């Protein structure tokens, strides 16, 4: 299997007929969750994240999207009920959903919307090395670097599958060279970080197997086609 990262941009509005079709293709648990969201955008992200996962893993397992069932470990990391060797991980934030799959080794992905933040957060959650690296960045690059580091760390924690039981300041992920964010840290893990657009950062982590140089952009039309 080859590792792929597929990304989908969340629409502002979905026609009701299309939304109802998508709802019919996800788990009852997901439909109930979607109905509880106050903001429709949150419901879109949740449901489209599961749809993207189903159509992608359908190709890897030979099962139809609707036939897939999922379970979670005690830390909340999802896996396939009957194909636990097929690794995947999904993330969504702002306008984007990201899914990594295609390996039997641990995988993690994180996408974050870039917004101004208090840099003191770095001192609380980053390791001393990461905090020093961030503090040394030029002012005009510090926010981007913060989100690179944050998403890289999140992708690692999601790959390991132990959630925030691993303190974020207990490990460091830094570029091996200033422009090289394909970095080997935390043992044999491979990392990738790049912007999805001006307002979102993507990071991925693999315990084995090369990460793609860029994600595959999936459209809603692709999703509808793959659902059939």
């Amino acid at each position: 299997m080859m590792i792929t990262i597929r990304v989908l941009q969340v629409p502002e509005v979905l026609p009701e007929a299309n939304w109802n079709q998508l709802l019919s293709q996800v788990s009852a648990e997901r439909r109930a969750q979607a109905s509880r969201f106050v903001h429709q955008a949150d419901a879109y992200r949740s449901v489209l994240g599961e749809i993207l996962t189903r159509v992608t893993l359908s190709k890897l397992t030979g099962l139809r999207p609707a036939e897939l069932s999922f379970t979670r470990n005690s830390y909340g990391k999802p896996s396939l009920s009957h194909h636990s060797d097929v690794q995947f991980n999904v993330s969504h934030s702002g306008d984007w959903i990201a899914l990594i799959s295609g390996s039997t080794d641990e995988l993690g992905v994180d996408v974050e919307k870039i917004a101004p933040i208090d840099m003191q957060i770095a001192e609380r959650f980053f390791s001393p090395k990461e905090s020093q690296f961030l503090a040394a960045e030029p002012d005009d690059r510090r926010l981007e670097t913060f989100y690179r580091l944050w998403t890289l760390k999140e992708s690692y924690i999601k790959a390991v599958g132990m959630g925030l039981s691993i303190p974020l300041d207990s490990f460091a992920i830094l570029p091996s060279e200033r422009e090289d964010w394909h970095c080997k840290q935390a043992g044999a893990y491979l990392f990738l970080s790049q912007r999805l657009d001006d307002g979102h950062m993507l990071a991925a982590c693999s315990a084995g197997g090369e990460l793609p140089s860029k994600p595959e952009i999936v459209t809603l039309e692709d999703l509808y086609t793959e659902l059939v």
Side-chain angles (χ1 to χ4, degrees), residues 130-144:
E130 289 165 332
S131 293
Q132 291 164 12
F133 181 86
L134 182 64
E137 286 287 86
D139 288 348
D140 61 349
R141 284 186 23 183
R142 194 165 293 140
L143 186 66
E144 174 171 323

PDB file of all heavy atoms in Angstrom, residues 130-144:
ATOM      1  N   GLU A 130      11.751  23.486  21.351  1.00  0.00           N
ATOM      2  CA  GLU A 130      10.782  24.064  20.409  1.00  0.00           C
ATOM      3  C   GLU A 130      10.502  25.524  20.742  1.00  0.00           C
ATOM      4  O   GLU A 130      10.396  26.365  19.842  1.00  0.00           O
ATOM      5  CB  GLU A 130       9.480  23.256  20.447  1.00  0.00           C
ATOM      6  CG  GLU A 130       9.603  21.875  19.828  1.00  0.00           C
ATOM      7  CD  GLU A 130       8.445  20.972  20.197  1.00  0.00           C
ATOM      8  OE1 GLU A 130       7.833  21.153  21.279  1.00  0.00           O
ATOM      9  OE2 GLU A 130       8.145  20.063  19.414  1.00  0.00           O
ATOM     10  N   SER A 131      10.378  25.824  22.036  1.00  0.00           N
ATOM     11  CA  SER A 131      10.132  27.211  22.442  1.00  0.00           C
ATOM     12  C   SER A 131      11.283  28.113  22.019  1.00  0.00           C
ATOM     13  O   SER A 131      11.068  29.240  21.549  1.00  0.00           O
ATOM     14  CB  SER A 131       9.937  27.288  23.965  1.00  0.00           C
ATOM     15  OG  SER A 131       8.750  26.634  24.347  1.00  0.00           O
ATOM     16  N   GLN A 132      12.517  27.616  22.161  1.00  0.00           N
ATOM     17  CA  GLN A 132      13.698  28.393  21.743  1.00  0.00           C
ATOM     18  C   GLN A 132      13.703  28.595  20.232  1.00  0.00           C
ATOM     19  O   GLN A 132      13.999  29.683  19.741  1.00  0.00           O
ATOM     20  CB  GLN A 132      14.979  27.683  22.193  1.00  0.00           C
ATOM     21  CG  GLN A 132      15.200  27.687  23.696  1.00  0.00           C
ATOM     22  CD  GLN A 132      16.243  26.669  24.136  1.00  0.00           C
ATOM     23  OE1 GLN A 132      16.974  26.106  23.321  1.00  0.00           O
ATOM     24  NE2 GLN A 132      16.301  26.415  25.448  1.00  0.00           N
ATOM     25  N   PHE A 133      13.378  27.522  19.502  1.00  0.00           N
ATOM     26  CA  PHE A 133      13.328  27.617  18.040  1.00  0.00           C
ATOM     27  C   PHE A 133      12.297  28.655  17.605  1.00  0.00           C
ATOM     28  O   PHE A 133      12.556  29.490  16.735  1.00  0.00           O
ATOM     29  CB  PHE A 133      12.983  26.243  17.451  1.00  0.00           C
ATOM     30  CG  PHE A 133      12.932  26.208  15.949  1.00  0.00           C
ATOM     31  CD1 PHE A 133      14.086  26.005  15.203  1.00  0.00           C
ATOM     32  CD2 PHE A 133      11.733  26.367  15.271  1.00  0.00           C
ATOM     33  CE1 PHE A 133      14.040  25.963  13.821  1.00  0.00           C
ATOM     34  CE2 PHE A 133      11.678  26.334  13.885  1.00  0.00           C
ATOM     35  CZ  PHE A 133      12.837  26.134  13.155  1.00  0.00           C
ATOM     36  N   LEU A 134      11.123  28.610  18.235  1.00  0.00           N
ATOM     37  CA  LEU A 134      10.053  29.547  17.882  1.00  0.00           C
ATOM     38  C   LEU A 134      10.443  30.979  18.219  1.00  0.00           C
ATOM     39  O   LEU A 134      10.228  31.901  17.421  1.00  0.00           O
ATOM     40  CB  LEU A 134       8.769  29.147  18.625  1.00  0.00           C
ATOM     41  CG  LEU A 134       7.533  29.999  18.340  1.00  0.00           C
ATOM     42  CD1 LEU A 134       7.118  29.882  16.877  1.00  0.00           C
ATOM     43  CD2 LEU A 134       6.380  29.580  19.254  1.00  0.00           C
ATOM     44  N   ALA A 135      11.038  31.179  19.383  1.00  0.00           N
ATOM     45  CA  ALA A 135      11.413  32.530  19.813  1.00  0.00           C
ATOM     46  C   ALA A 135      12.466  33.148  18.895  1.00  0.00           C
ATOM     47  O   ALA A 135      12.537  34.373  18.754  1.00  0.00           O
ATOM     48  CB  ALA A 135      11.930  32.480  21.252  1.00  0.00           C
ATOM     49  N   ALA A 136      13.274  32.288  18.249  1.00  0.00           N
ATOM     50  CA  ALA A 136      14.329  32.780  17.361  1.00  0.00           C
ATOM     51  C   ALA A 136      13.814  33.116  15.961  1.00  0.00           C
ATOM     52  O   ALA A 136      14.560  33.691  15.158  1.00  0.00           O
ATOM     53  CB  ALA A 136      15.444  31.741  17.260  1.00  0.00           C
ATOM     54  N   GLU A 137      12.573  32.768  15.669  1.00  0.00           N
ATOM     55  CA  GLU A 137      12.010  33.036  14.344  1.00  0.00           C
ATOM     56  C   GLU A 137      11.743  34.535  14.162  1.00  0.00           C
ATOM     57  O   GLU A 137      11.392  35.236  15.119  1.00  0.00           O
ATOM     58  CB  GLU A 137      10.697  32.270  14.166  1.00  0.00           C
ATOM     59  CG  GLU A 137      10.860  30.782  13.956  1.00  0.00           C
ATOM     60  CD  GLU A 137      11.390  30.467  12.567  1.00  0.00           C
ATOM     61  OE1 GLU A 137      12.627  30.474  12.388  1.00  0.00           O
ATOM     62  OE2 GLU A 137      10.586  30.230  11.660  1.00  0.00           O
ATOM     63  N   PRO A 138      11.885  35.039  12.921  1.00  0.00           N
ATOM     64  CA  PRO A 138      11.512  36.434  12.657  1.00  0.00           C
ATOM     65  C   PRO A 138      10.027  36.653  12.976  1.00  0.00           C
ATOM     66  O   PRO A 138       9.217  35.725  12.881  1.00  0.00           O
ATOM     67  CB  PRO A 138      11.773  36.598  11.153  1.00  0.00           C
ATOM     68  CG  PRO A 138      12.680  35.467  10.784  1.00  0.00           C
ATOM     69  CD  PRO A 138      12.377  34.348  11.719  1.00  0.00           C
ATOM     70  N   ASP A 139       9.686  37.870  13.368  1.00  0.00           N
ATOM     71  CA  ASP A 139       8.301  38.177  13.749  1.00  0.00           C
ATOM     72  C   ASP A 139       7.306  37.760  12.683  1.00  0.00           C
ATOM     73  O   ASP A 139       6.224  37.243  12.999  1.00  0.00           O
ATOM     74  CB  ASP A 139       8.149  39.683  14.023  1.00  0.00           C
ATOM     75  CG  ASP A 139       8.836  40.098  15.320  1.00  0.00           C
ATOM     76  OD1 ASP A 139       9.212  39.192  16.099  1.00  0.00           O
ATOM     77  OD2 ASP A 139       8.996  41.310  15.547  1.00  0.00           O
ATOM     78  N   ASP A 140       7.666  37.984  11.399  1.00  0.00           N
ATOM     79  CA  ASP A 140       6.699  37.718  10.334  1.00  0.00           C
ATOM     80  C   ASP A 140       6.540  36.225  10.037  1.00  0.00           C
ATOM     81  O   ASP A 140       5.678  35.835   9.244  1.00  0.00           O
ATOM     82  CB  ASP A 140       7.071  38.483   9.055  1.00  0.00           C
ATOM     83  CG  ASP A 140       8.438  38.082   8.512  1.00  0.00           C
ATOM     84  OD1 ASP A 140       9.183  37.381   9.227  1.00  0.00           O
ATOM     85  OD2 ASP A 140       8.750  38.461   7.360  1.00  0.00           O
ATOM     86  N   ARG A 141       7.370  35.385  10.659  1.00  0.00           N
ATOM     87  CA  ARG A 141       7.240  33.936  10.440  1.00  0.00           C
ATOM     88  C   ARG A 141       6.839  33.179  11.690  1.00  0.00           C
ATOM     89  O   ARG A 141       6.615  31.973  11.651  1.00  0.00           O
ATOM     90  CB  ARG A 141       8.569  33.359   9.919  1.00  0.00           C
ATOM     91  CG  ARG A 141       8.773  33.705   8.467  1.00  0.00           C
ATOM     92  CD  ARG A 141       9.957  33.078   7.803  1.00  0.00           C
ATOM     93  NE  ARG A 141      10.508  31.869   8.352  1.00  0.00           N
ATOM     94  CZ  ARG A 141      11.597  31.289   7.849  1.00  0.00           C
ATOM     95  NH1 ARG A 141      12.204  31.841   6.816  1.00  0.00           N
ATOM     96  NH2 ARG A 141      12.094  30.184   8.371  1.00  0.00           N
ATOM     97  N   ARG A 142       6.730  33.895  12.792  1.00  0.00           N
ATOM     98  CA  ARG A 142       6.537  33.190  14.060  1.00  0.00           C
ATOM     99  C   ARG A 142       5.174  32.494  14.135  1.00  0.00           C
ATOM    100  O   ARG A 142       5.082  31.370  14.613  1.00  0.00           O
ATOM    101  CB  ARG A 142       6.707  34.171  15.228  1.00  0.00           C
ATOM    102  CG  ARG A 142       6.868  33.462  16.573  1.00  0.00           C
ATOM    103  CD  ARG A 142       7.392  34.405  17.627  1.00  0.00           C
ATOM    104  NE  ARG A 142       8.751  34.819  17.347  1.00  0.00           N
ATOM    105  CZ  ARG A 142       9.221  36.034  17.530  1.00  0.00           C
ATOM    106  NH1 ARG A 142       8.435  36.981  18.000  1.00  0.00           N
ATOM    107  NH2 ARG A 142      10.478  36.329  17.246  1.00  0.00           N
ATOM    108  N   LEU A 143       4.123  33.152  13.635  1.00  0.00           N
ATOM    109  CA  LEU A 143       2.796  32.536  13.708  1.00  0.00           C
ATOM    110  C   LEU A 143       2.746  31.263  12.866  1.00  0.00           C
ATOM    111  O   LEU A 143       2.239  30.225  13.312  1.00  0.00           O
ATOM    112  CB  LEU A 143       1.718  33.523  13.243  1.00  0.00           C
ATOM    113  CG  LEU A 143       0.277  33.040  13.412  1.00  0.00           C
ATOM    114  CD1 LEU A 143      -0.075  32.888  14.891  1.00  0.00           C
ATOM    115  CD2 LEU A 143      -0.699  34.000  12.733  1.00  0.00           C
ATOM    116  N   GLU A 144       3.292  31.332  11.642  1.00  0.00           N
ATOM    117  CA  GLU A 144       3.318  30.141  10.780  1.00  0.00           C
ATOM    118  C   GLU A 144       4.124  29.023  11.431  1.00  0.00           C
ATOM    119  O   GLU A 144       3.720  27.855  11.425  1.00  0.00           O
ATOM    120  CB  GLU A 144       3.905  30.474   9.411  1.00  0.00           C
ATOM    121  CG  GLU A 144       4.081  29.236   8.546  1.00  0.00           C
ATOM    122  CD  GLU A 144       4.451  29.558   7.107  1.00  0.00           C
ATOM    123  OE1 GLU A 144       3.947  30.559   6.564  1.00  0.00           O
ATOM    124  OE2 GLU A 144       5.242  28.799   6.538  1.00  0.00           O
TER     125      GLU A 144
END
